[in-house]
């Protein structure tokens, strides 16, 4: 049985972390499969990716504590680097990635959701960075990405206290964009993904690139990337099609990512 499932429908890919008996905790074989699946996403045909967890209870309940417990320092660094590399790949995918958080998103699970462009969760979701209570620091980018989403004060509070927060609080602090029932979660996220998939990929991708550039390297650099992306939309099929459709009062548009 695969530890990571992947399917594509109508230009939307769904990655499912599939280890429900351990609440989808991330161990080495799972991280290796996830890395492979991310490499296999065909970003020419897939226009938006969703990441979710198998079962009704958990998105990802963190890195596998059983596997980590007896690691030596070197092994822990390798484990951390593996997770970091894969999460970095997710963040750098040219297409948008939405986390559909269907339960526990703790430690590495919260960090996986933070590597996505944004998060939508079910009302039973629980977020947290419990690492300091386990004697470790967050290791899959949590000290870096959480503060960018919720601000450094709130990120520090969550990390230092290791306190879990429920869906309503996650919404209040801006960690998730929307909360829905468990049944509504995937349909809601798929609808959003389909809405994204309908827009010009060249423009959606350029927007992601410019926002991420500013996020990582600052506004001055982000503005340069924005100008470059804006300019490179012109003379493309998609720019001609989008503006042409408006001027011709035409609803139907065919974007080709070219
Ligand atoms: N690891 C391994 N197994 C886990 C797990 C985890 N993180 N979370 C749950 N499980 C397993 C449980 O052991 C149990 O297995 P069995 O006993 O049935 O064999 C099964 O999933 C069901 O869990 P529970 O029986 O505990 O279920 P409950 O509903 O009672 O509780 C819970 C659900 C999510 C509150 C509880 O399972 C829990 O507290 N889990 C641990 C959550 C946690 O602390 N997660 C953060 C892990 S630390 C680094 C790289 C990465 C990281 C850090 C550093 N470097 C190397 C630099 C990342 C760290 C983390 O993510």
């Amino acid at each position: 049985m695969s530890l990571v499932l992947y399917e594509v429908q109508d230009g939307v890919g769904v990655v499912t972390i599939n280890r429900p008996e351990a609440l989808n905790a991330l161990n080495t074989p799972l991280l290796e499969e996830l890395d492979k699946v991310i490499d296999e996403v065909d970003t020419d045909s897939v226009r938006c990716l969703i990441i979710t967890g198998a079962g009704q209870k958990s998105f990802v309940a963190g890195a596998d504590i059983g596997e980590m417990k007896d690691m030596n320092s070197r092994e822990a660094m390798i484990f951390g680097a593996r997770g970091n590399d894969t999460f970095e790949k997710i963040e750098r995918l040219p297409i948008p990635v939405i986390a559909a958080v269907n339960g526990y998103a703790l430690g590495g699970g919260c960090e996986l959701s933070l590597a996505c462009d944004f998060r939508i969760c079910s009302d039973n979701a629980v977020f947290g960075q419990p690492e300091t209570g386990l004697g470790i620091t967050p290791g899959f980018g949590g000290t870096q990405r959480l503060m960018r989403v919720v601000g450094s004060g709130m990120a520090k509070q969550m990390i230092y206290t290791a306190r879990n927060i429920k869906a309503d609080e996650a919404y209040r602090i801006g960690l998730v964009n929307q909360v829905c029932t468990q049944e509504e979660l995937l349909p809601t996220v798929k609808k959003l993904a389909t809405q994204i998939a309908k827009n010009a990929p060249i423009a959606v991708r350029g927007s992601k690139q410019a926002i991420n550039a500013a996020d990582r390297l600052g506004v001055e650099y982000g503005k340069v990337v924005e100008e470059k992306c804006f300019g490179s939309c012109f003379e493309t099929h998609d720019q001609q099609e989008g503006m042409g459709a408006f001027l011709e009062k035409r609803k139907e548009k065919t974007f080709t990512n070219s």
Side-chain angles (χ1 to χ4, degrees):
M1 191 64 172
S2 298
L3 293 165
V4 180
L5 309 174
Y6 180 54
E7 57 175 13
V8 180
Q9 207 180 6
D10 301 327
V12 175
V14 181
V15 173
T16 306
I17 308 297
N18 186 35
R19 200 186 165 212
E21 70 285 359
L23 302 184
N24 303 320
L26 305 171
N27 60 11
T28 298
L30 194 156
L31 283 170
E32 282 172 354
E33 270 192 47
L34 178 61
D35 194 74
K36 259 196 217 144
V37 165
I38 298 301
D39 281 343
E40 282 163 15
V41 173
D42 175 5
T43 54
D44 287 332
S45 60
V46 175
R47 294 192 175 178
C48 188
L49 193 69
I50 296 168
I51 301 185
T52 194
Q56 303 286 304
K57 214 175 149 182
S58 183
F59 174 69
V60 166
D64 191 305
I65 300 172
E67 184 179 356
M68 286 191 293
K69 160 128 189 343
D70 293 320
M71 281 179 183
N72 61 33
S73 220
R74 190 175 160 278
E75 288 163 342
M77 271 169 67
I78 293 169
F79 184 68
R82 177 176 286 128
N84 257 331
D85 287 353
T86 306
F87 289 11
E88 190 82 14
K89 265 188 201 173
I90 292 169
E91 188 173 75
R92 285 177 188 267
L93 273 174
I95 55 174
V97 185
I98 309 174
V101 179
N102 56 318
Y104 292 111
L106 302 175
C110 187
E111 290 167 311
L112 174 59
S113 81
L114 286 161
C116 301
D117 289 87
F118 57 88
R119 291 142 292 283
I120 310 287
C121 77
S122 53
D123 48 16
N124 67 328
V126 176
F127 290 83
Q129 297 287 164
E131 287 89 345
T132 57
L134 293 165
I136 55 174
T137 57
F140 291 157
T143 60
Q144 305 303 306
R145 293 193 181 97
L146 183 60
M147 62 177 256
R148 291 196 164 79
V149 175
V150 301
S152 68
M154 189 55 81
K156 284 175 173 174
Q157 185 176 331
M158 281 178 70
I159 292 169
Y160 299 169
T161 62
R163 185 177 70 87
N164 292 343
I165 60 170
K166 293 186 177 160
D168 55 347
E169 191 173 350
Y171 178 68
R172 188 173 56 73
I173 65 172
L175 182 51
V176 300
N177 291 5
Q178 193 180 335
V179 182
C180 24
T181 63
Q182 181 82 243
E183 301 72 53
E184 283 168 352
L185 179 65
L186 262 189
T188 302
V189 177
K190 282 184 178 168
K191 199 169 158 197
L192 265 172
T194 306
Q195 216 174 331
I196 291 170
K198 278 191 186 141
N199 287 326
I202 198 163
V204 172
R205 289 164 196 228
S207 305
K208 172 167 179 170
Q209 214 183 322
I211 294 167
N212 280 7
D215 202 20
R216 296 178 75 106
L217 294 161
V219 175
E220 290 310 316
Y221 181 64
K223 274 198 294 191
V224 173
V225 175
E226 185 185 84
E227 283 162 15
K228 185 183 142 291
C229 290
F230 180 73
S232 63
C233 288
F234 284 78
E235 295 180 60
T236 63
H237 166 274
D238 287 356
Q239 177 254 334
Q240 288 293 310
E241 172 70 3
M243 294 190 175
F246 174 77
L247 295 173
E248 292 157 24
K249 304 192 186 305
R250 172 161 60 81
K251 279 229 161 64
E252 282 313 306
K253 288 175 260 189
T254 314
F255 291 123
T256 58
N257 193 29
S258 60

